Amino acid sequence: MRPQPSTKNRKLAVYKSGLKRVMSFLDSQISGKRPKTFFPFSKQIRFIVQFSRIASTALIVSLLANPSLAASEIPNSDFNGDGKSDILWRHSTNGTNRIWIMNGSTVLTDPVINVDPNLNWKVVGTGDFNGDGKSDILWRNPLNGLNRLWLMNTANIVSSSRLLNVLDINWEVVGVGDFNGDGKSDIFWRHATNGTNRIWIMNGSTVLTDPVINVIPNLNRKVIGTGDFNGDGKSDILWRNLTTGENRVWLMNTAAIISNAQLPVVNDINWQIAGIGDFNADNKSDILWRHSTNGTNRIWIMNGSTVLTDPVINVDPNLNWRVVGTGDYNGDGRADILWRNATNGLNRLWLMNTATITSSSRLVDVTDINWKVVGNGTQYLYPPF
């Protein structure tokens, strides 16, 4: 590895086995910034890039190669591999699908992927199933039990593969995450009537193994989502009991439950988990809550199964505003919050620094409320709209 000489248009070149990958950055991205994560070859090889300015024109560039990638570092729905989350839309009546390619609060492009008028096909998750650094789209038909995976390159469908059929429609996809730490997304299933849970360990569109984890017959316990809560590079599973307010996290190693830890009980079931993401950039997932009747929003800053702090962000009593996604839209390593108004089609993005709203920006209006943001990866947020 050798860095190129610093210029105004700064670039860092990394070489491996004759291949060259380049990371571009600006002066404004250097001073006072946290280390940047750089994936030059695959998500299985991570470089932490630390800039240290020692003079007005001189830089020290430190590289640390580390094969362990915390699952919380992977931007949610990053379809073009630029390290920034994008937004996947589906029209609920005509079946059109499109992607907003994002740079912070700016919509760079909004290409249509295709039109699938068969509305029985539902987007049940997004993730990087082939480890190329770009999000893919997972589909399930809940009427006939067919499953399909689109491997994506921005808005291009590189491959549309039929997965194993799961004809028992009581099996539901309730989470997508990298459970074995290989840099490729896997699929978490839960049976809606008998409480069995299992994981499909994936390599692209191939199911390598499908181990059963255990059976939780109490169907009031719902998988809310997945995230890497302890920063070991493997996804964990967040549960909430929608009748008692009990919360639990399973810290996972593939299909093995390393820890089954109870979190603080939130008895007021009007508190709903609205998103999971790394809000303080410690490479561990945190939990976003929203109160469904008074509009209070707060974040649990997590360290494994420990709630370090639970700051309130703000109160928005207009309950027509729904959290429809969390992701890192500006590439600063911190999760941001995407909002959509269910009645007028307005959209807003909060760029976050832990519990501080650094920017609240109105996005492009989508007044046709049949357009839905899909693939955000968190279950049981609000009634569908």
Side-chain angles (χ1 to χ4, degrees):
M1 297 179 294
R2 59 184 185 274
Q4 294 177 336
S6 294
T7 65
K8 283 190 175 181
N9 297 319
R10 302 182 189 278
K11 293 185 177 180
L12 175 69
V14 178
Y15 297 82
K16 174 177 177 283
S17 302
L19 297 176
K20 175 182 176 181
R21 297 291 185 268
V22 176
M23 175 186 183
S24 299
F25 52 92
L26 303 173
D27 278 343
S28 60
Q29 296 177 297
I30 298 170
S31 180
K33 300 292 184 181
R34 66 187 289 273
K36 293 184 176 295
T37 304
F38 179 33
F39 310 100
F41 302 103
S42 77
K43 285 200 172 182
Q44 299 171 48
I45 302 177
R46 173 181 62 168
F47 290 84
I48 305 300
V49 185
Q50 176 68 71
F51 302 101
S52 303
R53 186 177 293 281
I54 59 175
S56 60
T57 59
L59 290 173
I60 294 176
V61 181
S62 303
L63 286 178
L64 170 64
N66 187 338
S68 175
L69 170 64
S72 63
E73 294 177 15
I74 302 174
N76 185 33
S77 297
D78 177 12
F79 289 97
N80 63 339
D82 66 349
K84 300 173 185 177
S85 294
D86 306 306
I87 304 172
L88 175 62
W89 295 85
R90 180 161 169 78
H91 197 281
S92 62
T93 63
N94 65 29
T96 303
N97 307 289
R98 71 190 316 148
I99 298 174
W100 281 5
I101 301 298
M102 303 297 294
N103 181 14
S105 57
T106 301
V107 181
L108 300 179
T109 61
D110 62 339
V112 171
I113 307 174
N114 75 345
V115 178
D116 184 350
N118 185 345
L119 300 178
N120 294 321
W121 283 98
K122 309 294 183 183
V123 174
V124 291
T126 60
D128 183 8
F129 289 92
N130 59 346
D132 67 349
K134 300 173 184 177
S135 290
D136 310 305
I137 305 174
L138 178 63
W139 296 83
R140 178 159 170 76
N141 189 318
L143 294 186
N144 59 23
L146 303 188
N147 305 290
R148 184 165 289 277
L149 179 63
W150 287 357
L151 298 180
M152 303 296 295
N153 181 0
T154 311
N156 297 314
I157 304 172
V158 177
S159 168
S160 175
S161 302
R162 184 167 169 178
L163 304 184
L164 298 176
N165 298 335
V166 181
L167 301 180
D168 181 351
I169 60 173
N170 291 302
W171 280 105
E172 300 173 344
V173 174
V174 293
V176 173
D178 179 11
F179 290 97
N180 62 340
D182 67 349
K184 301 174 184 177
S185 295
D186 309 304
I187 305 171
F188 186 74
W189 295 83
R190 179 160 169 77
H191 198 279
T193 62
N194 64 29
T196 304
N197 306 288
R198 71 189 317 146
I199 296 176
W200 281 6
I201 301 298
M202 304 295 295
N203 180 13
S205 57
T206 302
V207 181
L208 300 179
T209 61
D210 62 339
V212 171
I213 306 177
N214 70 350
V215 179
I216 302 292
N218 184 346
L219 301 179
N220 291 316
R221 293 184 179 179
K222 305 294 185 182
V223 174
I224 303 299
T226 62
D228 184 6
F229 292 96
N230 59 347
D232 66 350
K234 300 173 183 177
S235 291
D236 310 306
I237 303 169
L238 179 63
W239 297 79
R240 179 159 170 75
N241 189 311
L242 301 184
T243 59
T244 66
E246 292 177 292
N247 305 291
R248 189 167 289 275
V249 63
W250 287 358
L251 301 180
M252 304 294 296
N253 182 0
T254 312
I257 303 171
I258 298 173
S259 171
N260 180 0
Q262 182 163 324
L263 305 182
V265 177
V266 180
N267 291 317
D268 182 351
I269 60 173
N270 291 306
W271 279 106
Q272 299 173 341
I273 295 174
I276 297 170
D278 180 11
F279 287 95
N280 62 337
D282 65 352
N283 299 329
K284 300 174 185 176
S285 296
D286 308 305
I287 304 172
L288 173 64
W289 294 83
R290 180 161 169 77
H291 198 281
S292 63
T293 63
N294 64 29
T296 304
N297 306 289
R298 71 190 316 147
I299 297 174
W300 281 5
I301 300 299
M302 304 295 295
N303 181 13
S305 57
T306 301
V307 181
L308 300 179
T309 61
D310 63 339
V312 171
I313 307 175
N314 74 345
V315 179
D316 185 349
N318 184 344
L319 302 179
N320 291 317
W321 283 99
R322 310 287 176 83
V323 174
V324 292
T326 57
D328 183 7
Y329 293 93
N330 60 346
D332 68 350
R334 297 176 171 88
D336 310 305
I337 304 173
L338 177 64
W339 296 84
R340 180 159 169 74
N341 190 303
T343 59
N344 60 25
L346 302 188
N347 304 291
R348 184 165 288 278
L349 180 63
W350 287 357
L351 299 181
M352 303 295 296
N353 182 353
T354 312
T356 300
I357 304 170
T358 60
S359 171
S360 177
S361 301
R362 183 170 172 176
L363 304 184
V364 178
D365 298 342
V366 181
T367 54
D368 180 352
I369 60 173
N370 291 304
W371 281 105
K372 315 292 184 184
V373 175
V374 294
N376 61 32
T378 310
Q379 311 291 320
Y380 304 103
L381 302 188
Y382 295 97
F385 63 87

